[in-house]
PDB file of all heavy atoms in Angstrom:
ATOM      1  N   ASP B 111       3.264   0.643  43.387  1.00 97.00           N
ATOM      2  CA  ASP B 111       2.529  -0.577  43.724  1.00 97.00           C
ATOM      3  C   ASP B 111       1.376  -0.878  42.773  1.00 97.00           C
ATOM      4  O   ASP B 111       0.561  -1.748  43.058  1.00 97.00           O
ATOM      5  CB  ASP B 111       2.015  -0.498  45.168  1.00 97.00           C
ATOM      6  CG  ASP B 111       0.972   0.587  45.352  1.00 97.00           C
ATOM      7  OD1 ASP B 111       0.667   1.299  44.383  1.00 97.00           O
ATOM      8  OD2 ASP B 111       0.445   0.710  46.477  1.00 97.00           O
ATOM      9  N   TYR B 119      -5.338  -8.212  42.753  1.00 98.00           N
ATOM     10  CA  TYR B 119      -6.763  -8.185  42.426  1.00 98.00           C
ATOM     11  C   TYR B 119      -7.131  -9.310  41.459  1.00 98.00           C
ATOM     12  O   TYR B 119      -8.137  -9.990  41.616  1.00 98.00           O
ATOM     13  CB  TYR B 119      -7.169  -6.824  41.832  1.00 98.00           C
ATOM     14  CG  TYR B 119      -8.650  -6.775  41.578  1.00 98.00           C
ATOM     15  CD1 TYR B 119      -9.533  -6.377  42.568  1.00 98.00           C
ATOM     16  CD2 TYR B 119      -9.178  -7.219  40.367  1.00 98.00           C
ATOM     17  CE1 TYR B 119     -10.904  -6.390  42.363  1.00 98.00           C
ATOM     18  CE2 TYR B 119     -10.539  -7.247  40.151  1.00 98.00           C
ATOM     19  CZ  TYR B 119     -11.403  -6.829  41.144  1.00 98.00           C
ATOM     20  OH  TYR B 119     -12.748  -6.865  40.944  1.00 98.00           O
ATOM     21  N   ARG B 120      -6.303  -9.497  40.440  1.00 98.00           N
ATOM     22  CA  ARG B 120      -6.615 -10.519  39.433  1.00 98.00           C
ATOM     23  C   ARG B 120      -6.557 -11.930  40.041  1.00 98.00           C
ATOM     24  O   ARG B 120      -7.271 -12.825  39.620  1.00 98.00           O
ATOM     25  CB  ARG B 120      -5.656 -10.412  38.243  1.00 98.00           C
ATOM     26  CG  ARG B 120      -5.910  -9.181  37.389  1.00 98.00           C
ATOM     27  CD  ARG B 120      -4.960  -9.083  36.196  1.00 98.00           C
ATOM     28  NE  ARG B 120      -4.952  -7.742  35.643  1.00 98.00           N
ATOM     29  CZ  ARG B 120      -5.792  -7.309  34.689  1.00 98.00           C
ATOM     30  NH1 ARG B 120      -6.659  -8.120  34.165  1.00 98.00           N
ATOM     31  NH2 ARG B 120      -5.734  -6.062  34.251  1.00 98.00           N
ATOM     32  N   ARG B 142       0.478  -2.675  53.695  1.00 97.00           N
ATOM     33  CA  ARG B 142      -0.962  -2.621  53.956  1.00 97.00           C
ATOM     34  C   ARG B 142      -1.746  -3.271  52.819  1.00 97.00           C
ATOM     35  O   ARG B 142      -2.715  -4.012  53.042  1.00 97.00           O
ATOM     36  CB  ARG B 142      -1.376  -1.150  54.139  1.00 97.00           C
ATOM     37  CG  ARG B 142      -2.677  -0.996  54.849  1.00 97.00           C
ATOM     38  CD  ARG B 142      -3.024   0.453  55.195  1.00 97.00           C
ATOM     39  NE  ARG B 142      -4.438   0.474  55.515  1.00 97.00           N
ATOM     40  CZ  ARG B 142      -5.389   0.834  54.661  1.00 97.00           C
ATOM     41  NH1 ARG B 142      -5.069   1.269  53.459  1.00 97.00           N
ATOM     42  NH2 ARG B 142      -6.670   0.778  55.001  1.00 97.00           N
ATOM     43  N   PHE B 146      -4.084  -6.549  53.066  1.00 98.00           N
ATOM     44  CA  PHE B 146      -5.504  -6.507  52.697  1.00 98.00           C
ATOM     45  C   PHE B 146      -5.861  -7.741  51.864  1.00 98.00           C
ATOM     46  O   PHE B 146      -6.941  -8.320  52.010  1.00 98.00           O
ATOM     47  CB  PHE B 146      -5.814  -5.224  51.918  1.00 98.00           C
ATOM     48  CG  PHE B 146      -7.184  -5.213  51.318  1.00 98.00           C
ATOM     49  CD1 PHE B 146      -8.328  -5.184  52.110  1.00 98.00           C
ATOM     50  CD2 PHE B 146      -7.360  -5.249  49.928  1.00 98.00           C
ATOM     51  CE1 PHE B 146      -9.599  -5.188  51.554  1.00 98.00           C
ATOM     52  CE2 PHE B 146      -8.628  -5.253  49.369  1.00 98.00           C
ATOM     53  CZ  PHE B 146      -9.751  -5.217  50.182  1.00 98.00           C
ATOM     54  N   GLN B 264       1.883   8.259  34.119  1.00 96.00           N
ATOM     55  CA  GLN B 264       0.565   7.773  34.518  1.00 96.00           C
ATOM     56  C   GLN B 264      -0.069   6.882  33.445  1.00 96.00           C
ATOM     57  O   GLN B 264      -0.618   5.823  33.756  1.00 96.00           O
ATOM     58  CB  GLN B 264      -0.315   8.966  34.816  1.00 96.00           C
ATOM     59  CG  GLN B 264      -1.703   8.561  35.242  1.00 96.00           C
ATOM     60  CD  GLN B 264      -2.693   9.575  34.805  1.00 96.00           C
ATOM     61  OE1 GLN B 264      -2.678  10.715  35.283  1.00 96.00           O
ATOM     62  NE2 GLN B 264      -3.548   9.198  33.864  1.00 96.00           N
ATOM     63  N   ASP B 268      -0.905   1.999  33.114  1.00 98.00           N
ATOM     64  CA  ASP B 268      -1.950   1.082  32.639  1.00 98.00           C
ATOM     65  C   ASP B 268      -1.403   0.021  31.694  1.00 98.00           C
ATOM     66  O   ASP B 268      -1.852  -1.126  31.719  1.00 98.00           O
ATOM     67  CB  ASP B 268      -3.084   1.874  31.970  1.00 98.00           C
ATOM     68  CG  ASP B 268      -3.979   2.553  32.999  1.00 98.00           C
ATOM     69  OD1 ASP B 268      -4.057   2.049  34.138  1.00 98.00           O
ATOM     70  OD2 ASP B 268      -4.585   3.588  32.679  1.00 98.00           O
ATOM     71  N   ARG B 279      -0.148 -14.469  33.522  1.00 98.00           N
ATOM     72  CA  ARG B 279      -1.221 -15.423  33.235  1.00 98.00           C
ATOM     73  C   ARG B 279      -0.748 -16.508  32.269  1.00 98.00           C
ATOM     74  O   ARG B 279      -1.003 -17.690  32.480  1.00 98.00           O
ATOM     75  CB  ARG B 279      -2.412 -14.671  32.634  1.00 98.00           C
ATOM     76  CG  ARG B 279      -3.520 -15.627  32.334  1.00 98.00           C
ATOM     77  CD  ARG B 279      -4.821 -14.990  31.976  1.00 98.00           C
ATOM     78  NE  ARG B 279      -5.792 -16.076  31.884  1.00 98.00           N
ATOM     79  CZ  ARG B 279      -7.055 -15.925  31.588  1.00 98.00           C
ATOM     80  NH1 ARG B 279      -7.529 -14.714  31.382  1.00 98.00           N
ATOM     81  NH2 ARG B 279      -7.850 -16.959  31.520  1.00 98.00           N
TER      82      ARG B 279
ATOM     83  N   ASP C 255     -16.880  -5.784  41.396  1.00 97.00           N
ATOM     84  CA  ASP C 255     -16.213  -4.660  42.066  1.00 97.00           C
ATOM     85  C   ASP C 255     -14.945  -4.198  41.348  1.00 97.00           C
ATOM     86  O   ASP C 255     -14.185  -3.410  41.891  1.00 97.00           O
ATOM     87  CB  ASP C 255     -15.888  -5.037  43.518  1.00 97.00           C
ATOM     88  CG  ASP C 255     -14.847  -6.137  43.619  1.00 97.00           C
ATOM     89  OD1 ASP C 255     -14.410  -6.647  42.576  1.00 97.00           O
ATOM     90  OD2 ASP C 255     -14.481  -6.481  44.756  1.00 97.00           O
ATOM     91  N   TYR C 263      -8.371   2.924  43.644  1.00 98.00           N
ATOM     92  CA  TYR C 263      -6.919   2.939  43.513  1.00 98.00           C
ATOM     93  C   TYR C 263      -6.437   4.219  42.828  1.00 98.00           C
ATOM     94  O   TYR C 263      -5.464   4.851  43.257  1.00 98.00           O
ATOM     95  CB  TYR C 263      -6.416   1.715  42.730  1.00 98.00           C
ATOM     96  CG  TYR C 263      -4.911   1.704  42.666  1.00 98.00           C
ATOM     97  CD1 TYR C 263      -4.161   1.116  43.675  1.00 98.00           C
ATOM     98  CD2 TYR C 263      -4.233   2.359  41.642  1.00 98.00           C
ATOM     99  CE1 TYR C 263      -2.776   1.161  43.660  1.00 98.00           C
ATOM    100  CE2 TYR C 263      -2.847   2.414  41.616  1.00 98.00           C
ATOM    101  CZ  TYR C 263      -2.127   1.812  42.635  1.00 98.00           C
ATOM    102  OH  TYR C 263      -0.764   1.875  42.619  1.00 98.00           O
ATOM    103  N   ARG C 264      -7.112   4.611  41.767  1.00 98.00           N
ATOM    104  CA  ARG C 264      -6.684   5.808  41.029  1.00 98.00           C
ATOM    105  C   ARG C 264      -6.846   7.077  41.882  1.00 98.00           C
ATOM    106  O   ARG C 264      -6.093   8.028  41.738  1.00 98.00           O
ATOM    107  CB  ARG C 264      -7.467   5.948  39.722  1.00 98.00           C
ATOM    108  CG  ARG C 264      -7.085   4.890  38.690  1.00 98.00           C
ATOM    109  CD  ARG C 264      -7.869   5.045  37.381  1.00 98.00           C
ATOM    110  NE  ARG C 264      -7.784   3.834  36.582  1.00 98.00           N
ATOM    111  CZ  ARG C 264      -6.815   3.585  35.686  1.00 98.00           C
ATOM    112  NH1 ARG C 264      -5.900   4.477  35.458  1.00 98.00           N
ATOM    113  NH2 ARG C 264      -6.790   2.450  35.008  1.00 98.00           N
ATOM    114  N   ARG C 286     -15.544  -4.557  52.435  1.00 97.00           N
ATOM    115  CA  ARG C 286     -14.154  -4.673  52.870  1.00 97.00           C
ATOM    116  C   ARG C 286     -13.229  -3.821  51.993  1.00 97.00           C
ATOM    117  O   ARG C 286     -12.318  -3.154  52.480  1.00 97.00           O
ATOM    118  CB  ARG C 286     -13.748  -6.159  52.825  1.00 97.00           C
ATOM    119  CG  ARG C 286     -12.528  -6.455  53.636  1.00 97.00           C
ATOM    120  CD  ARG C 286     -12.226  -7.944  53.751  1.00 97.00           C
ATOM    121  NE  ARG C 286     -10.868  -8.056  54.236  1.00 97.00           N
ATOM    122  CZ  ARG C 286      -9.810  -8.250  53.455  1.00 97.00           C
ATOM    123  NH1 ARG C 286      -9.963  -8.400  52.147  1.00 97.00           N
ATOM    124  NH2 ARG C 286      -8.593  -8.294  53.976  1.00 97.00           N
ATOM    125  N   PHE C 290     -10.993  -0.688  53.178  1.00 98.00           N
ATOM    126  CA  PHE C 290      -9.538  -0.678  53.002  1.00 98.00           C
ATOM    127  C   PHE C 290      -9.088   0.689  52.484  1.00 98.00           C
ATOM    128  O   PHE C 290      -8.046   1.214  52.878  1.00 98.00           O
ATOM    129  CB  PHE C 290      -9.101  -1.779  52.029  1.00 98.00           C
ATOM    130  CG  PHE C 290      -7.663  -1.690  51.622  1.00 98.00           C
ATOM    131  CD1 PHE C 290      -6.648  -1.884  52.550  1.00 98.00           C
ATOM    132  CD2 PHE C 290      -7.306  -1.393  50.311  1.00 98.00           C
ATOM    133  CE1 PHE C 290      -5.306  -1.782  52.189  1.00 98.00           C
ATOM    134  CE2 PHE C 290      -5.971  -1.293  49.940  1.00 98.00           C
ATOM    135  CZ  PHE C 290      -4.972  -1.487  50.875  1.00 98.00           C
ATOM    136  N   GLN C 408     -14.151 -11.491  31.109  1.00 96.00           N
ATOM    137  CA  GLN C 408     -12.905 -11.103  31.764  1.00 96.00           C
ATOM    138  C   GLN C 408     -12.139 -10.039  30.983  1.00 96.00           C
ATOM    139  O   GLN C 408     -11.665  -9.061  31.553  1.00 96.00           O
ATOM    140  CB  GLN C 408     -12.056 -12.335  31.959  1.00 96.00           C
ATOM    141  CG  GLN C 408     -10.742 -12.024  32.633  1.00 96.00           C
ATOM    142  CD  GLN C 408      -9.690 -12.966  32.148  1.00 96.00           C
ATOM    143  OE1 GLN C 408      -9.755 -14.160  32.426  1.00 96.00           O
ATOM    144  NE2 GLN C 408      -8.718 -12.443  31.399  1.00 96.00           N
ATOM    145  N   ASP C 412     -11.332  -5.184  31.712  1.00 98.00           N
ATOM    146  CA  ASP C 412     -10.248  -4.212  31.558  1.00 98.00           C
ATOM    147  C   ASP C 412     -10.679  -2.977  30.775  1.00 98.00           C
ATOM    148  O   ASP C 412     -10.247  -1.866  31.083  1.00 98.00           O
ATOM    149  CB  ASP C 412      -9.026  -4.875  30.905  1.00 98.00           C
ATOM    150  CG  ASP C 412      -8.262  -5.746  31.895  1.00 98.00           C
ATOM    151  OD1 ASP C 412      -8.337  -5.459  33.104  1.00 98.00           O
ATOM    152  OD2 ASP C 412      -7.601  -6.703  31.465  1.00 98.00           O
ATOM    153  N   ARG C 423     -12.339  10.922  35.173  1.00 98.00           N
ATOM    154  CA  ARG C 423     -11.252  11.890  35.217  1.00 98.00           C
ATOM    155  C   ARG C 423     -11.600  13.154  34.428  1.00 98.00           C
ATOM    156  O   ARG C 423     -11.401  14.277  34.904  1.00 98.00           O
ATOM    157  CB  ARG C 423      -9.981  11.260  34.650  1.00 98.00           C
ATOM    158  CG  ARG C 423      -8.844  12.239  34.704  1.00 98.00           C
ATOM    159  CD  ARG C 423      -7.511  11.655  34.408  1.00 98.00           C
ATOM    160  NE  ARG C 423      -6.548  12.736  34.632  1.00 98.00           N
ATOM    161  CZ  ARG C 423      -5.268  12.635  34.476  1.00 98.00           C
ATOM    162  NH1 ARG C 423      -4.744  11.500  34.121  1.00 98.00           N
ATOM    163  NH2 ARG C 423      -4.484  13.671  34.704  1.00 98.00           N
TER     164      ARG C 423
END
Side-chain angles (χ1 to χ4, degrees):
Chain B
D111 66 358
Y119 183 87
R120 289 181 197 271
R142 199 173 164 262
F146 171 66
Q264 180 212 294
D268 284 334
R279 180 169 187 180
Chain C
D255 67 357
Y263 183 87
R264 289 180 197 271
R286 198 172 165 263
F290 170 66
Q408 180 212 293
D412 284 333
R423 181 169 185 180

